[in-house]
Amino acid sequence: MSFEVKGWCPGALRPMVSGDGLVVRVRLPLCQMTPLQAAGLARAAQRHGNGQLAISNRANLQLRGVTEASHRALLDDLATLGLLDADLTAEARRNILISPFWATGDGSTDLAQDLTARLMDLPDLPSKFGHVIDIGATRVLAEASGDLRLERGITGGLILRADGADLGQPVTKQTAIPALIALAHWFVDNGGIIQGRGRMRALIQRGIAPPGASEAPAAAVPPPTLGQTETGTLTAFEYGSFPSDTLAALAALGHPLRLTPWRMMLIERLSGPAALSSIPGLITDPAHPLLRLRACPGAPFCPQALAPTRPLAHRLSALVPPGLTLHVSGCAKGCAHPQAADLTLVAGLGGFAIGIAASAPDVTGPFHPAEDLLTNSNLFDQNGAA
Ligand code: SF4
């Protein structure tokens, strides 16, 4: 089997070609792994890939370095673990991000399961079109990518909000999924798809108002910091990537693991980071300088990359003041961080373009050689990001 590059989101059945082999993205139901599944995924990454895993910004798990020869055996392992969709269509449509802080009885998992059961009632949607379920005690996914968003409204009830719209449509647990399906059809019927692509936010920005929108969402809260939460303990990894041994060690703790769009992992019901101290590859200190960095794999791991990224980000890390973020992107696509960072460096043929409080696609030249950036100790100050 051969696979083409880009234009869609990879999955397990349809992996993406990268510089170090195929990237297989596993869309975990409820963005969660049981300890058994986590152990199985660690084994599978070692056997069928290069042993490297990563969390995507939609809380999916990526296995890197899979070969065309090993892909079939990997799919068999995923099926055994209950992590393989029936076919490509089912996999492509199951693009559901759920708040990692969902709690039993808050309705989040019911909505996710109801939506999963009705995916075939959705119209054909662009590959990147996704759904967000963010109805827990706090609205934490405001910055996470998603086109149709189930949230809490300011009055405490449920709302369905088109991404980019200020207001959402009040719904109940019973009407939420039928309303979501209707809003997906509204998106298509109102010209949301152009040449196979399109996002809800772009349609709303064209001045087209979604139907029934009357209630503002509850106030958004910023992404959490590492450490103890009511649901468990949050830990992080360098650039969201980790080796299979780390995942195997986390699985051995015996707790379910939830992935987050902040490339952190939440270890359910684990009290504090002390139990993690012997596991290599984890970041548990919320003040760790690497947490200020965002960087995609870059060259030579991505065919689109115009330069290496993580070595530069690493060398610049000492210049990033606490509380600020640096994003180094191998091209204008900005996979590692779709949002704006305080300072964004985007690779081009002449070096890196600098953007202040900008997302990667908005950053334009001039380009500066990486060495010039490395010798500029006032990079943040001079560019107004501090
Ligand atoms: S942003 Fe990075 S990972 Fe994404 S396509 Fe560009 S070089 Fe590749």
Side-chain angles (χ1 to χ4, degrees):
M1 200 186 302
S2 64
F3 304 100
E4 294 185 15
V5 179
K6 70 180 184 177
W8 35 268
C9 284
L13 291 164
R14 194 181 190 198
M16 181 175 70
V17 178
S18 196
D20 56 350
L22 300 176
V23 175
V24 169
R25 187 175 288 174
V26 182
R27 297 179 180 189
L28 300 166
L30 306 178
C31 305
Q32 181 193 45
M33 297 174 267
T34 65
L36 193 68
Q37 288 171 328
L41 285 161
R43 273 194 307 275
Q46 189 65 48
R47 278 185 195 152
H48 310 304
N50 62 10
Q52 287 298 311
L53 299 112
I55 302 174
S56 78
N57 57 24
R58 290 192 180 180
N60 296 311
L61 188 69
Q62 297 187 158
L63 283 66
R64 299 194 68 95
V66 176
T67 66
E68 295 198 8
S70 65
H71 181 235
R72 182 65 253 171
L74 172 57
L75 293 183
D76 290 344
D77 282 3
L78 293 179
T80 302
L81 294 168
L83 296 174
L84 191 67
D85 288 285
D87 54 45
L88 271 173
T89 305
E91 177 179 84
R93 289 179 175 220
R94 198 169 53 76
N95 201 351
I96 305 169
L97 174 63
I98 184 170
S99 166
F101 301 119
W102 60 262
T104 304
D106 73 2
S108 298
T109 58
D110 291 341
L111 288 178
Q113 285 155 0
D114 291 351
L115 176 55
T116 302
R118 296 207 48 194
L119 289 175
M120 293 306 153
D121 294 334
L122 291 166
D124 286 333
L125 293 163
S127 156
K128 292 185 183 300
F129 200 94
H131 315 286
V132 170
I133 298 174
D134 189 15
I135 67 164
T138 53
R139 188 164 72 93
V140 289
L141 299 182
E143 297 298 320
S145 176
D147 299 85
L148 300 179
R149 316 180 73 94
L150 289 164
E151 300 170 331
R152 291 273 168 208
I154 49 171
T155 61
L158 298 183
I159 62 168
L160 168 65
R161 189 169 63 86
D163 190 48
D166 293 334
L167 304 177
Q169 167 188 356
V171 293
T172 66
K173 286 179 183 172
Q174 289 71 36
T175 63
I177 301 307
L180 182 148
I181 292 166
L183 192 54
H185 283 280
W186 174 88
F187 169 78
V188 174
D189 295 344
N190 283 274
I193 304 178
I194 299 171
Q195 295 180 341
R197 299 189 183 205
R199 299 298 300 267
M200 181 64 86
R201 179 172 286 271
L203 179 64
I204 300 297
Q205 285 173 345
R206 279 157 49 194
I208 302 177
S214 60
E215 183 172 339
V221 301
T225 53
L226 295 184
Q228 183 76 47
T229 73
E230 281 188 16
T231 319
T233 296
L234 272 170
T235 188
F237 314 88
E238 195 172 312
Y239 305 110
S241 300
F242 46 91
S244 56
D245 288 351
T246 296
L247 183 58
L250 287 165
L253 295 173
H255 297 258
L257 306 172
R258 300 184 187 180
L259 302 191
T260 78
W262 316 292
R263 295 191 164 92
M264 301 176 188
M265 186 180 286
L266 189 146
I267 304 152
E268 283 183 38
R269 300 189 299 278
L270 184 75
S271 299
L276 305 177
S277 59
S278 62
I279 299 179
L282 301 185
I283 299 174
T284 54
D285 176 4
H288 199 297
L290 289 181
L291 294 176
R292 301 169 205 157
L293 307 180
R294 312 283 183 271
C296 68
F301 305 105
C302 174
Q304 282 85 56
L306 296 163
T309 51
R310 290 179 179 172
L312 177 62
H314 234 83
R315 292 176 69 188
L316 289 170
S317 62
L319 305 181
V320 187
L324 299 188
T325 50
L326 167 68
H327 178 194
V328 182
S329 186
C331 78
K333 198 171 165 193
C335 297
H337 191 62
Q339 303 84 2
D342 293 297
L343 189 70
T344 299
L345 305 177
V346 178
L349 291 177
F352 287 83
I354 299 176
I356 310 300
S359 59
D362 295 330
V363 176
T364 54
F367 291 92
H368 306 266
E371 285 308 316
D372 288 1
L373 300 172
L374 287 164
T375 53
N376 184 350
S377 60
N378 295 321
L379 187 63
F380 268 77
D381 295 340
Q382 287 178 348
N383 288 287

